[in-house]
């Protein structure tokens, strides 16, 4: 119950039903609340409603009400989300931890029933399906069978959790992708609980939780560690953020898609710098931006680095809620509540106060792709061939060069080019061809495919073309566009090149239904884009293996082959271990590149193929007009599809309902399980936390460069037979064909700690002993008794652990960017790493390190590994922790005679308490046990 210091509690009557609300207007006389951005109004309501005098105090509310748009964030507030959203890769370890907490609280004298989600927690199983079978009408059924065969044990565990924990629901596999299910069904926009109406807010265990920002719902990605605390009633500590206003004007030109728009927005915001800030969209252009386009932009928030990327509630929000089958009383409540609270946006709305303002004319957006390794590296389609060749040039001759160099070497894209794919309704402006590039000699490695087809494989050949990910499969315009392009291609006699692995993995069953209703499924099937599953697949690294004969040639000849996907992530080593170059593109362009079969092509000036008469067929001949796409969407996408698809969303099929499931409030851990093991984080937990001590005579486990992502740190993708994790599974009787992926084994710490820092593209500068070249992969040098020995990072860490030697990691800028993977922090801690010293940190990973009791330390401006002359072979002592009442803001680091000062990146008082308690799980458990 709120203390209601500002008299904000009131009533709102909607359609003869009365709701209790906390009115923002109650503060307007003292503070100019009306000027606040939409997102901060949502936070302000949250504080008014949860004011308890402890976590949320009256001065916190006043601090937010007085928000200084230009001040550096310094005031901590406690945000209490309405719900928690999880996917299975990150959700399974969260439920494993909750199960372990039930065991641990017994040791502390507490009641296991105290460990229960106190806010609604919803988990969607979407990350486990892999593209084993493709290009066949049987692909979906077979991939679903293989998914259950591999994951039955963890699915049974989730079924146990659904029964054992209150307030916890699971959407079964083969239903949809978490963020698309959230957008189309789970999101409320306005939440109602015990008669109180308030904005729907959430945290999610996946960084792309921000997709829901497109619907006017404030939420963002947290690590699974913090999500567990949120489920247990702990508020989320955060600093009152700066808010960047992004004004949109005009409308998209013919030929430009929502994907092109989001890649442009990502490039602009990444270049501007919005890490740790809110981004809020406004302006007259919103009226021309369908909800699906807004959600596409919100989805990419992690790629440009902001905490959220939100749109206000307006008429388009209501249209989408009605269109997606939400109850009429819910839609009426959303409109009434938003208008009552000053959260409604229309053409008469005053421009809010923002910390900074950016602007984009939608008509300036041009067809684009992004790659080959980062989502922010946008390339205009006119320059794609030149950009590819330049990236290839930098990649091939420099296997032992620093991997950061290539990513910054692309030709600059022109943000104001007005080139269009076809001129229907528009006169093309500017040059009609791509950038001229020098010829390159093809590599042309001859090979024979499994069906006997003889082909030449070359650098730049597209071996994976995947319509995948919630980013674009939630958007009917680009999905229908892909289907129409496929139809036009088939009718012109074009086919996909035989070396391309094609797949269609939509985010909900609604997609396949409207493609079928539009008569487009048969054409996508004809090009090999058969349904392979409802899940993240290629975008999360579940692309499945390439055909063996292709994989063998790629490996033997060290070919730089390409994937093209309609996703949001294209980091090194993520999509497929055989693929070095990965490009993000719209679904229609995924189809086009699959037909072309290569990235080394100018899609404007060179034909994709030839028709039956030998005439060249160009992309402009196949590209659908905006009017055609809009008419097809209008005819094919209907509200009844949403109601039908989600009527039994939690039920599951016969495989799901027929599983044998354990029962009881405590989970019966199987000591022989290779999927679900009792984690060690809470072993030997004492009622009182130990004293904080200095870190003395630590060794360096890894010296890493800039932009090391959680894909480099956290285990993901396939498990190699000869890796430490592969050897562990083999020793436990698991055949290599049954290894499954790292993501599917996140409930087993033994597998995950062995895969931490084991990415095949990781470059550890400490891994070269006695002047040997810098290798790729999870290797390091074990330093002891004056000698050096090259080992896997896991094996070296275990040796250090045996001798009681603490470890540190040294890194450059943007350490931990990427997905919100709790195992990037959990694995780091289990390897014995006590501190990470980096030039800068990604927000979620920094917070997760704190949550696991790992100290995030930041070099002072101008300092770095190179600037300080560090090699990583020094012994490190981090002084200033022992005996301190609280963790200092600065600490002294001594490294073999040199000394420097670092900033402690424990940013809030609550994080101080978490770290002092040994980690967030330990802190929460002791607090719950103390309540009795």
């Amino acid at each position: 119950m709120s203390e209601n210091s500002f008299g904000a509690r009131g009533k709102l009557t909607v359609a003869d039903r009365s709701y209790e609300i906390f009115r923002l207007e109650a503060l307007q006389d003292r503070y100019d609340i009306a000027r606040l951005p939409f997102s901060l109004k949502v936070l302000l309501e949250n504080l008014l409603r949860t004011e308890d005098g402890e976590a949320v105090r009256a001065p916190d509310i006043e601090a937010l009400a007085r928000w200084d748009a230009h001040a550096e964030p310094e005031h901590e507030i406690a945000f209490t989300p309405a719900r928690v959203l999880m996917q299975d890769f990150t959700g399974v370890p969260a439920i494993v931890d909750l199960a372990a907490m039930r065991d641990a609280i017994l040791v502390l004298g507490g009641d296991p029933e105290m460990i229960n989600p106190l806010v609604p927690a919803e988990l969607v199983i979407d990350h486990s399906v892999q593209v084993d079978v493709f290009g066949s009408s049987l692909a979906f059924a077979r991939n679903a069978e293989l998914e259950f065969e591999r994951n039955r044990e963890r699915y049974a565990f989730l079924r146990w959790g659904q029964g054992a924990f209150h307030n916890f629901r699971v959407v079964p596999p083969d239903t949809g992708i978490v963020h698309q299910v959230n957008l189309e069904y789970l999101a409320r926009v306005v939440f109602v609980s015990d008669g109180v109406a308030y904005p729907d807010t959430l945290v999610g265990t996946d960084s792309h939780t921000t997709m829901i920002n497109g619907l006017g719902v404030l939420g963002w990605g947290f690590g699974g560690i913090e999500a567990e605390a949120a489920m247990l009633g702990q508020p989320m500590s955060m600093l009152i953020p700066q808010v960047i206003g992004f004004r949109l004007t005009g409308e998209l030109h013919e030929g430009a898609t929502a994907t092109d728009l989001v890649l442009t927005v990502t490039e602009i915001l990444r270049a501007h710098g919005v890490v740790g800030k809110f981004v809020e969209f406004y302006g007259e252009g919103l009226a021309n931006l369908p909800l699906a386009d807004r959600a596409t932009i919100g989805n990419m928030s992690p790629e440009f680095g902001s905490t959220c990327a939100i749109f206000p509630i307006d008429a388009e929000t209501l249209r989408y809620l009605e269109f997606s089958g939400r109850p009429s009383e819910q839609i009426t409540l959303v409109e009434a509540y938003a208008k009552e609270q000053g959260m409604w946006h229309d053409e008469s709305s005053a421009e809010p106060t923002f910390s900074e303002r950016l602007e984009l004319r939608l008509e300036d957006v041009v067809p684009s792709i992004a790659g080959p390794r980062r989502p922010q590296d946008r390339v205009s389609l006119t320059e794609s061939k030149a950009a590819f060749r330049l990236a290839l040039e930098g990649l091939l001759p420099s296997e032992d060069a620093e991997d950061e160099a290539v990513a910054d070497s692309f030709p600059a894209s022109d943000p104001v080019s007005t080139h269009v794919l076809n001129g229907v309704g528009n006169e093309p402006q500017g040059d009609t061809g791509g950038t001229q590039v020098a010829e390159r000699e093809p590599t042309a490695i001859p090979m024979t495919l499994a069906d006997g087809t003889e082909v030449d494989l070359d650098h730049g050949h597209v071996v994976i073309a995947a319509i995948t990910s919630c980013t674009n499969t939630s958007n009917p315009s680009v999905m229908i566009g892909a289907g129409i392009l496929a139809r036009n291609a088939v009718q012109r006699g074009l086919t996909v090149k035989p070396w391309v692995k094609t797949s269609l993995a939509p985010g909900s069953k609604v997609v396949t239904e409207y493609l079928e209703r539009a008569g487009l499924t048969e054409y996508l099937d004809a090009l090999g884009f058969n349904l392979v599953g409802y899940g993240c697949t290629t975008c999360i690294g579940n692309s499945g293996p390439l055909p063996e004969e292709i994989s063998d040639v790629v490996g033997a000849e060290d070919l730089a082959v390409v994937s093209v996907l309609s996703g949001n992530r294209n980091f090194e080593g993520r999509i497929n271990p055989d693929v070095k170059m990965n490009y993000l593109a719209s679904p229609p362009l995924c189809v086009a590149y699959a037909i072309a079969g290569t990235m080394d092509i100018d899609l404007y000036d060179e034909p994709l193929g030839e028709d039956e008469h030998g005439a060249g067929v160009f992309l402009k001949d196949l590209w659908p007009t905006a009017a055609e796409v809009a008419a097809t969407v209008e005819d094919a996408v209907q509200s009844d599809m949403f109601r039908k698809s989600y009527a039994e969303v939690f039920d599951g099929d016969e495989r799901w309902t027929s599983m044998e499931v354990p029962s009881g409030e405590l989970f019966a851990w199987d000591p022989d399980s290779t999927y679900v093991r009792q984690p060690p984080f809470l072993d030997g937990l004492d009622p009182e936390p130990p004293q904080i001590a200095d870190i003395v005579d630590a060794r360096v486990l890894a010296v890493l460069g800039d932009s090391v992502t959680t894909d480099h740190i956290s285990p993901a993708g396939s498990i190699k037979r000869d890796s430490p994790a592969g050897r562990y599974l083999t020793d436990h009787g698991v055949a290599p064909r049954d290894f499954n992926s790292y993501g599917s084994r996140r409930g087993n710490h033994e597998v995950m700690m062995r895969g931490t820092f084991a990415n095949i593209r990781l470059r550890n500068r400490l891994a070269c002993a006695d002047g040997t070249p810098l290798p790729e992969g999870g290797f390091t040098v074990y330093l002891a008794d004056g000698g050096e020995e090259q080992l896997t990072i896991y094996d070296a860490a275990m040796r250090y652990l045996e001798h009681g030697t603490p470890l540190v990691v040294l890194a450059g800028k943007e350490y931990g960017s990427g997905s919100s993977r709790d195992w990037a922090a959990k694995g780091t801690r289990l390897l014995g790493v006590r501190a990470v010293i980096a030039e800068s940190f990604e927000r979620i990973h920094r917070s997760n390190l704190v949550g696991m009791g790992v100290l995030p330390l930041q070099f002072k401006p101008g300092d770095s590994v190179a600037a300080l002359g560090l090699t990583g072979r020094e012994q490190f002592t981090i002084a200033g922790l022992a005996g301190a009442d609280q963790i200092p803001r600065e600490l002294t680091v001594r490294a073999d005679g040199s000394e420097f000062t670092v900033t402690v990146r424990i940013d809030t008082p609550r994080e101080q308490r978490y770290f002092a308690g040994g980690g967030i799980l330990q802190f929460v458990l002791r607090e719950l046990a103390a309540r009795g």
Side-chain angles (χ1 to χ4, degrees):
M1 182 68 69
S2 172
E3 292 196 352
N4 198 29
S5 299
F6 299 89
R9 186 184 291 115
K11 295 289 183 183
L12 174 67
T13 301
V14 182
D16 299 325
R17 183 175 175 184
S18 183
Y19 302 90
E20 183 177 288
I21 67 170
F22 286 79
R23 283 194 167 85
L24 301 182
E25 190 181 17
L27 287 80
Q28 184 63 37
D29 289 343
R30 284 172 279 182
Y31 313 101
D32 188 7
I33 301 304
R35 73 185 172 88
L36 291 177
F38 169 80
S39 53
L40 295 191
K41 289 179 179 178
V42 174
L43 284 182
L44 184 58
E45 187 282 339
N46 195 278
L47 297 185
L48 286 170
R49 180 167 37 85
T50 58
E51 182 194 1
D52 60 0
E54 293 182 13
V56 179
R57 301 165 298 122
D60 301 325
I61 297 171
E62 291 173 331
L64 183 50
R66 291 195 307 266
W67 180 66
D68 181 349
H70 304 291
E72 286 296 318
E74 60 177 7
H75 192 99
E76 179 196 12
I77 57 173
F79 166 61
T80 304
R83 57 193 175 97
V84 172
L85 183 69
M86 295 176 282
Q87 39 95 329
D88 56 311
F89 271 17
T90 50
V92 165
I95 305 305
V96 165
D97 286 348
L98 289 183
M101 290 177 76
R102 282 195 165 182
D103 292 330
I105 203 167
L106 272 177
V107 177
L108 296 180
D111 180 1
E113 273 292 318
M114 297 180 71
I115 308 297
N116 255 316
L118 298 179
V119 300
E122 294 150 335
L123 184 148
V124 180
I125 299 175
D126 66 344
H127 275 51
S128 297
V129 61
Q130 299 186 48
V131 187
D132 291 285
V133 182
F134 68 98
S136 162
S137 60
L138 300 176
F140 171 64
R142 184 57 184 141
N143 289 331
E145 288 172 8
L146 289 170
E147 177 188 357
F148 260 89
E149 287 174 15
R150 292 168 175 147
N151 299 286
R152 184 176 299 273
E153 187 178 336
R154 51 197 291 272
Y155 290 173
F157 171 71
L158 288 175
R159 283 280 310 277
W160 167 81
Q162 192 173 25
F165 295 112
H166 306 303
N167 231 3
F168 174 57
R169 298 192 297 177
V170 177
V171 175
D174 308 317
T175 303
I177 300 177
V178 58
H179 308 305
Q180 194 161 340
V181 173
N182 191 26
L183 180 73
E184 295 176 353
Y185 179 73
L186 295 175
R188 288 76 153 173
V189 185
V190 172
F191 213 90
V192 177
S193 178
D194 297 327
V196 182
Y198 49 92
D200 181 10
T201 57
L202 71 153
V203 293
T205 62
D206 188 284
S207 56
H208 295 103
T209 300
T210 51
M211 182 170 176
I212 204 61
N213 296 165
L215 195 59
V217 175
L218 183 61
W220 55 84
F222 265 104
I225 304 159
E226 291 170 298
E228 293 164 33
M231 284 190 281
L232 294 168
Q234 294 290 308
M236 303 286 94
S237 293
M238 60 181 293
L239 298 175
I240 297 175
Q242 292 187 336
V243 183
I244 308 299
F246 199 121
R247 184 168 178 253
L248 299 173
T249 63
E251 58 185 320
L252 292 174
H253 260 311
E254 185 75 44
T257 67
T259 311
D260 306 318
L261 170 60
V262 76
L263 293 179
T264 303
V265 169
T266 299
E267 178 189 42
I268 292 169
L269 287 171
R270 174 62 82 170
H272 182 77
V274 293
V275 173
K277 301 177 182 179
F278 282 14
V279 171
E280 187 166 315
F281 294 88
Y282 72 104
E284 55 271 34
L286 264 60
N288 300 319
L289 212 58
L291 200 291
D293 290 11
R294 301 178 187 190
T296 305
I297 292 173
N299 184 288
M300 292 289 276
S301 177
E303 276 60 64
F304 44 81
S306 65
T307 302
C308 67
I310 198 163
F311 291 78
I313 298 170
D314 63 3
E316 175 62 15
T317 312
L318 303 183
R319 186 206 65 80
Y320 183 82
L321 290 174
E322 181 179 9
F323 176 67
S324 54
R326 264 62 169 218
S328 58
E329 57 270 22
Q330 179 70 17
I331 300 168
T332 303
L333 172 62
V334 168
E335 180 177 9
Y337 184 88
K339 290 180 175 178
E340 180 71 20
Q341 293 284 53
M343 297 178 181
W344 180 262
H345 179 274
D346 57 28
E347 64 278 359
S348 65
S349 297
E351 181 177 315
T353 299
F354 292 112
S355 304
E356 296 178 273
R357 289 173 177 79
L358 299 171
E359 184 170 338
L360 173 66
R361 298 190 313 161
L362 294 176
E363 57 265 32
D364 291 342
V365 173
V366 298
S368 304
I369 58 176
R373 292 191 297 186
R374 300 187 308 182
Q376 67 263 34
D377 294 324
R378 185 186 69 86
V379 179
S380 295
L381 205 56
T382 52
E383 298 170 340
S384 58
K385 184 174 181 178
F388 161 73
R389 288 193 173 182
L390 187 57
L392 181 66
E393 216 173 89
L395 183 67
L396 292 181
S398 56
E399 289 298 317
D400 58 347
E402 291 299 331
D403 67 344
E404 295 85 6
V406 178
D408 297 322
S409 63
F410 304 128
S413 295
D414 178 9
V416 294
S417 169
T418 53
H419 192 83
V420 294
L421 277 173
N422 65 48
V424 179
N426 274 314
E427 285 299 317
Q429 303 175 32
D431 182 30
T432 57
T435 301
Q436 296 300 307
V437 295
E439 289 302 314
R440 62 170 281 265
E441 201 65 37
T443 303
I445 307 297
M447 63 168 295
T448 303
L449 300 177
D451 63 0
T453 303
E454 294 184 354
V455 299
D456 289 339
L457 209 59
D458 194 0
H459 297 301
H461 272 192
V462 175
V463 295
I464 291 175
I467 299 174
T468 181
S469 170
C470 51
T471 312
N472 285 287
T473 68
S474 62
N475 195 314
S477 65
V478 293
M479 296 300 290
I480 291 289
I484 295 175
L485 191 145
R487 181 198 65 195
N488 295 344
V490 170
Q491 290 175 348
R492 292 294 299 271
L494 299 185
T495 59
V496 167
K497 294 297 184 290
W499 55 79
V500 184
K501 182 174 184 176
T502 47
S503 60
L504 169 65
S508 80
K509 295 180 179 179
V510 173
V511 178
T512 46
E513 190 165 345
Y514 67 63
L515 286 173
E516 183 67 31
R517 187 178 290 190
L520 299 173
T521 301
E522 62 177 293
Y523 299 105
L524 287 164
D525 288 351
L527 293 180
F529 286 94
N530 303 79
L531 175 69
V532 296
Y534 296 99
C536 291
T537 63
T538 304
C539 194
I540 195 62
N542 284 356
S543 59
L546 296 180
E548 188 175 353
E549 65 275 15
I550 292 178
S551 179
D552 289 345
V553 171
V554 168
E557 301 295 334
D558 197 23
L559 291 179
V561 290
V562 170
S563 75
V564 181
L565 64 150
S566 64
N568 46 43
R569 291 277 160 83
N570 57 340
F571 300 128
E572 285 186 284
R574 179 186 181 93
I575 304 305
N576 185 284
D578 290 325
V579 180
K580 290 185 177 181
M581 308 178 80
N582 306 289
Y583 288 87
L584 305 181
S586 66
L589 285 179
C590 289
V591 176
Y593 275 111
I595 295 169
T598 181
M599 184 57 62
D600 195 13
I601 183 174
D602 183 338
L603 291 180
Y604 288 98
D605 288 343
E606 298 176 52
L608 299 182
E610 295 181 348
D611 63 16
E612 59 184 4
H613 305 295
V617 180
F618 293 81
L619 184 60
K620 64 183 179 182
D621 302 326
L622 307 178
W623 196 268
T625 66
E628 184 181 13
V629 170
T632 308
V633 170
E634 180 72 21
D635 181 62
V637 189
Q638 304 295 331
S639 292
D640 65 290
M641 297 176 176
F642 293 91
R643 285 188 286 268
K644 175 185 172 184
S645 292
Y646 289 109
E648 299 174 340
V649 68
F650 295 106
D651 293 352
D653 60 16
E654 190 273 336
R655 282 181 296 242
W656 177 258
T657 56
S658 64
M659 284 190 298
E660 291 186 15
V661 179
S663 59
E665 65 177 13
L666 298 178
F667 185 68
W669 304 99
D670 179 358
D672 296 322
S673 173
T674 58
Y675 275 103
V676 179
R677 298 289 294 269
Q678 185 170 12
F681 307 116
L682 302 173
D683 290 352
L685 186 70
D686 293 323
E688 295 296 327
Q691 291 294 313
I692 300 174
D694 290 343
I695 300 171
V696 180
D697 291 339
R699 284 293 188 180
V700 175
L701 187 63
V703 180
L704 306 171
D706 294 342
S707 300
V708 170
T709 72
T710 48
D711 285 278
H712 290 107
I713 306 166
S714 179
S718 60
I719 301 172
K720 294 290 187 182
R721 183 184 307 204
D722 59 351
S723 67
R727 292 196 298 271
Y728 167 86
L729 291 173
T730 300
D731 291 345
H732 283 74
V734 180
R737 68 177 181 275
D738 298 322
F739 278 3
N740 211 335
S741 65
Y742 278 112
S744 68
R745 294 188 182 273
R746 282 182 174 223
N748 183 346
H749 63 278
E750 296 285 1
V751 171
M752 298 304 285
M753 65 190 289
R754 285 167 170 79
T756 303
F757 293 112
N759 186 289
I760 58 171
R761 299 295 179 218
L762 184 78
R763 289 183 181 270
N764 177 9
R765 297 170 187 173
L766 189 59
C768 41
D770 301 323
T772 56
L774 185 66
E776 284 188 322
F779 298 96
T780 192
V781 168
Y782 176 73
L783 303 162
D785 303 323
E788 297 185 3
E789 182 181 358
Q790 190 177 95
L791 297 172
T792 67
I793 284 179
Y794 169 78
D795 289 332
M798 292 304 100
R799 280 207 201 170
Y800 283 125
L801 202 60
E802 287 174 12
H803 294 89
T805 304
L807 299 173
V808 297
V809 169
L810 306 179
K813 302 180 183 69
E814 296 182 329
Y815 182 76
S817 57
S819 300
S820 56
R821 290 188 168 150
D822 55 340
W823 268 109
K826 286 181 175 179
T828 298
R829 184 68 184 92
L830 288 179
L831 290 180
V833 175
R834 299 285 303 283
V836 176
I837 311 175
E839 292 179 61
S840 64
F841 290 89
E842 188 274 340
R843 173 184 62 88
I844 298 175
H845 185 58
R846 181 205 60 79
S847 178
N848 280 350
L849 288 173
V850 175
M852 289 309 301
V854 178
L855 194 60
L857 303 174
Q858 190 160 314
F859 287 112
K860 292 289 186 180
D863 283 353
S864 66
V865 172
L868 293 168
L870 301 173
T871 67
R873 286 165 166 77
E874 303 88 354
Q875 282 189 301
F876 282 72
T877 292
I878 301 170
L881 291 167
D885 293 333
Q886 63 177 9
I887 297 142
R889 290 299 302 160
E890 293 185 346
L891 293 172
T892 299
V893 180
R894 302 186 186 95
D896 286 0
S898 66
E899 186 174 296
F900 56 96
T901 302
V902 292
T903 301
V904 179
R905 286 301 312 277
I906 295 178
D907 291 352
T908 68
R910 183 165 289 270
E911 286 184 346
Q912 286 255 355
R913 294 194 288 274
Y914 289 158
F915 186 83
I920 194 169
L921 298 180
Q922 294 86 341
F923 173 86
V924 170
L925 200 57
R926 289 189 183 100
E927 189 176 72
L928 289 172
R931 292 178 191 170

